[in-house]
Amino acid sequence: MTKAKGKVYFVGAGPGDEGLITVKWQRAIEKADVILYDRLLNPKLLEAAPPHCELMYCGKTPYTKGIRQEIINELLVSKALAGHNVVRLKGGDPAVFGRVGEEAESLKEKDIPFEIIPGVTSSIAASMYAGVPVTHRDFGRSFAMVTGHERTKQEIDWTGLVQSVDTVAFYMGVANLPNICENLISHGKSKNTPVLVIQWGTYGRQETVEGTLANIVEMVSEKSLQNPAITLVGDIILLRKRLQWFEKKPLYGQQFLVARTGTTKSSMAENLYELGGDVIEFPKWITTKVKAKKSQLLSFLLYDRMLFTSPESVHGFLDLLTEYAIDFRQISAKLYVVSRKSKKVLQQRGLIAALKSEMTEDGTLLIIGDRKKEHLDPNYGDEDYFQSIEKYVDERFLEILPRMLEENAVDTVLFSNQHSVDMLMDYGDKAGFDVSGMLTQATIGVIGKSTGRKLKDFGFTPDMMPHEPSVEQLVALIVNRNVFRL
């Protein structure tokens, strides 16, 4: 029996900001068996892929050719013929300088089904994040997107661009910027025409240089801007002073690494992102179910106190009760949690808990966690213990971390608990990255004293620690520190 062909989805990942994705994009990633992804997309977007999915890097840099296009075409065909759902994940929009036509044609020749899911195109998004709409009834009623690569300079209709288009966006044109400016001027564009170059548009590390056709080359050289970049040309750039918004966020331009210990969304990372920071979370975690008997679960309901060590342990335990049709109302124990995040998760599941610091010593205690007992924090003592879920590091992301850090110099490293210190040290080393070197150069923040003591075991002293151990307090310290620097 012949195996059914898979399907290929060409997906536009947008320009970088992880929020600029679509519902259809998300669904395609969540059911992928194989993802072929490019350099310029935000690697955080790959976290939506299921645990079994094969992640294949196809990126090219300005200095390396990477995988040849014909090899990418062959991979798409072979993986689909093997019956896999394949996602070709491209930065920006796959139809805008994304070679989607060439890749789709190779599938058509083999009668392989495919879909093309548009993404937010980089020139429009980067321009808006820099405070410039690409059209405006007073400044620009027409807009063009042009490849800025060196080898295409003779193929461009420069006269048409100058005479017929108000605003022009050149993709990846930094190396060719002198020729772009020279051709626009020689074909009739004023030397005083405003120009804006945007590097890493929509990321927290976005950097912009504003000038004119006469001086932009020198200004970009002074700032050492490189691709990926969008070069915007036109009078519409004059609106920038009034419409800037992204670059006014308090943590704009700051790069953070948050040491991660859970699978749930990091509230610290989320807060930093909303404030304009560029955030890497590492390592990436995934969970699997543990086996338990109904009689065992029912016996747990006889304890006087239950202490949950993580949000995952909460979900794991309550999901097991649901699986065996055990009513949550049978839980008579007083519930306690280690973190406010776990408290919130319990509340969302209809149960109220107090923090461990408020726990009394009366009655029997069951600790419910997400790791084997031998790896449990010794401060918990030798109490009864149940591991409600298996949690482990997703090692697919170990090879991604060094590439992320090559593109993104980290200013601040943040730790939420003792375990986060061990995990970053251990898995950073497994990823082949010099964590100690990064910590020597970066500002270090911790939530509480125990985390600070753990950090000192590795020879580092935190620069920031809030008076109260909370995410909100640490983020407030970071914001205040950044304002003071400005």
Side-chain angles (χ1 to χ4, degrees):
M1 184 175 177
T2 305
K3 192 170 185 178
K5 294 175 184 175
K7 188 172 182 177
V8 176
Y9 296 84
F10 294 96
V11 177
D17 184 338
E18 63 197 76
L20 297 178
I21 61 171
T22 64
V23 173
K24 193 165 188 177
W25 179 101
Q26 185 84 12
R27 288 174 181 162
I29 297 295
E30 288 173 351
K31 63 183 181 183
D33 301 309
V34 181
I35 297 176
L36 283 72
Y37 66 98
D38 285 342
R39 168 196 171 216
L40 295 181
L41 64 88
N42 188 337
K44 188 172 179 61
L45 301 176
L46 296 170
E47 293 188 4
H52 73 272
C53 181
E54 182 182 5
L55 305 178
M56 304 183 70
Y57 180 62
C58 299
K60 302 176 180 68
T61 74
Y63 315 105
T64 60
K65 293 182 179 179
I67 299 179
R68 298 197 314 275
Q69 186 60 51
E70 55 267 32
I71 300 298
I72 295 173
N73 296 352
E74 290 171 9
L75 282 169
L76 291 172
V77 169
S78 63
K79 295 294 184 180
L81 289 177
H84 299 304
N85 277 326
V86 183
V87 168
R88 178 71 174 103
L89 194 56
K90 295 170 170 287
D93 187 300
V96 180
F97 307 123
R99 294 191 172 181
V100 71
E102 300 171 42
E103 295 177 5
E105 283 177 5
S106 67
L107 301 174
K108 187 68 176 177
E109 290 173 4
K110 300 292 183 180
D111 200 27
I112 296 170
F114 62 86
E115 285 189 25
I116 301 174
I117 301 174
V120 177
T121 190
S122 300
S123 60
I124 295 174
S127 299
M128 282 306 314
Y129 273 57
V132 181
V134 294
T135 62
H136 188 282
R137 62 181 180 177
D138 295 329
F139 290 93
R141 292 174 177 268
S142 55
F143 170 64
M145 294 179 283
V146 182
T147 180
H149 286 299
E150 174 83 19
R151 63 188 179 87
T152 61
K153 64 182 181 179
Q154 301 301 328
E155 303 167 9
I156 295 172
D157 179 8
W158 296 102
T159 301
L161 283 180
V162 170
Q163 294 181 357
S164 305
V165 181
D166 297 317
T167 308
V168 184
F170 292 92
Y171 281 64
M172 300 298 181
V174 171
N176 197 29
L177 191 56
N179 290 314
I180 291 172
C181 294
E182 180 185 329
N183 275 290
L184 288 172
I185 292 169
S186 66
H187 285 83
K189 206 78 169 172
S190 168
K191 291 182 179 181
N192 296 321
T193 303
V195 181
L196 181 66
V197 178
I198 311 159
Q199 183 182 28
W200 290 113
T202 79
Y203 281 96
R205 60 185 179 273
Q206 173 179 301
E207 190 164 356
T208 54
V209 173
E210 185 176 350
T212 66
L213 286 175
N215 63 18
I216 193 67
V217 172
E218 183 180 351
M219 295 177 71
V220 166
S221 178
E222 288 175 358
K223 284 281 190 177
S224 300
L225 260 61
Q226 297 178 342
N227 288 324
I230 295 293
T231 299
L232 201 66
V233 181
D235 290 336
I236 204 165
I237 294 166
L238 297 172
L239 291 169
R240 174 172 151 81
K241 287 182 174 61
R242 288 182 294 188
L243 300 182
Q244 276 181 283
W245 60 276
F246 183 58
E247 292 165 339
K248 293 185 180 297
K249 289 194 171 189
L251 297 182
Y252 166 75
Q254 296 292 302
Q255 287 79 45
F256 301 89
L257 189 148
V258 175
R260 195 175 188 176
T261 58
T263 59
T264 57
K265 219 169 191 179
S266 164
S267 58
M268 185 187 299
E270 201 166 40
N271 285 338
L272 297 171
Y273 162 74
E274 289 296 331
L275 292 168
D278 215 352
V279 187
I280 295 173
E281 294 179 78
F282 181 84
K284 160 80 164 53
W285 296 81
I286 48 181
T287 59
T288 56
K289 287 183 178 180
V290 298
K291 294 180 180 179
K293 295 181 179 179
K294 186 171 184 176
S295 58
Q296 181 187 24
L297 293 170
L298 288 170
S299 71
F300 293 153
L301 304 183
L302 302 176
Y303 282 82
D304 300 310
R305 298 171 293 159
M306 288 182 183
L307 173 64
F308 295 92
T309 67
S310 69
E312 290 84 6
S313 66
V314 172
H315 285 305
F317 184 70
L318 298 183
D319 288 347
L320 282 170
L321 295 186
T322 301
E323 185 178 334
Y324 285 101
I326 299 173
D327 195 328
F328 291 1
R329 289 173 292 184
Q330 294 186 49
I331 301 175
S332 60
K334 292 182 179 179
L335 305 182
Y336 297 93
V337 291
V338 172
S339 68
R340 288 180 173 83
K341 184 186 286 188
S342 298
K343 183 177 181 177
K344 186 177 181 181
V345 168
L346 267 170
Q347 190 172 348
Q348 289 169 343
R349 301 287 295 257
L351 298 169
I352 303 300
L355 292 172
K356 180 178 179 291
S357 58
E358 304 168 32
M359 189 168 67
T360 64
E361 298 295 327
D362 301 328
T364 54
L365 172 64
L366 175 67
I367 298 175
I368 300 174
D370 56 24
R371 287 180 275 165
K372 297 188 185 304
K373 189 171 184 179
E374 56 266 29
H375 297 141
L376 196 65
D377 188 330
N379 292 327
Y380 293 130
D382 193 28
E383 303 289 347
D384 291 343
Y385 180 73
F386 174 64
Q387 182 183 354
S388 67
I389 201 161
E390 182 77 36
K391 185 173 74 173
Y392 56 95
V393 169
D394 188 341
E395 298 200 355
R396 294 175 302 174
F397 286 79
L398 296 185
E399 69 174 59
I400 294 174
L401 178 69
R403 286 201 297 272
M404 293 175 74
L405 294 174
E406 281 175 10
E407 308 279 16
N408 188 7
V410 172
D411 302 308
T412 307
V413 182
L414 301 171
F415 299 95
S416 58
N417 53 47
Q418 297 179 65
H419 186 47
S420 67
V421 178
D422 289 326
M423 291 299 96
L424 182 60
M425 295 296 186
D426 186 12
Y427 283 95
D429 183 61
K430 288 180 179 177
F433 181 73
D434 180 12
V435 176
S436 294
M438 176 180 65
L439 291 175
T440 300
Q441 300 294 323
T443 298
I444 302 172
V446 298
I447 281 185
K449 293 179 180 178
S450 60
T451 308
R453 287 193 293 270
K454 169 62 73 172
L455 198 60
K456 287 180 180 179
D457 291 343
F458 289 92
F460 297 97
T461 302
D463 303 290
M464 294 182 292
M465 182 173 66
H467 294 299
E468 294 182 16
S470 72
V471 168
E472 293 77 15
Q473 291 292 322
L474 182 54
V475 171
L477 269 181
I478 293 166
V479 171
N480 290 335
R481 186 185 182 95
N482 194 58
V483 169
F484 178 75
R485 284 177 178 174
L486 292 175

